[in-house]
Amino acid sequence: MHSETVGMVVDRLALYSTAAHTALTANTTAWDLHCAWQRLAEIALAYDDLVTEIAKGRRRIPEFTAPAMPLVGGAR
């Protein structure tokens, strides 16, 4: 089982994407720019691998859903 939901992985992907794009316009050293884009590339590959493993049934993700709440009077 993967320890994160797909949403958690996508959130991290968005964070690294924003950081890499910000590094293009900020006063960033060549090394920091390289590191920002390297992190983005690594998380993108990890996401792609996760999606492939889920699609092939080799990996599953946790379901962080709350149990259904009964309606007033116990009706569903």
Side-chain angles (χ1 to χ4, degrees):
M1 177 185 301
H2 191 71
S3 62
E4 296 178 300
T5 65
V6 173
M8 294 166 134
V9 175
V10 170
D11 283 346
R12 202 156 27 104
L13 183 60
L15 176 71
Y16 289 164
S17 179
T18 302
H21 285 278
T22 299
L24 286 173
T25 59
N27 186 15
T28 307
T29 66
W31 178 251
D32 289 338
L33 182 63
H34 167 79
C35 289
W37 283 92
Q38 180 69 29
R39 281 191 301 270
L40 177 58
E42 287 179 6
I43 191 69
L45 288 172
Y47 176 76
D48 187 55
D49 290 346
L50 176 61
V51 169
T52 300
E53 289 181 358
I54 290 170
K56 291 183 177 184
R58 293 189 298 214
R59 175 94 49 117
R60 64 184 187 90
I61 53 175
E63 293 184 32
F64 292 134
T65 57
M69 299 291 290
L71 299 176
V72 176
R76 284 196 178 263

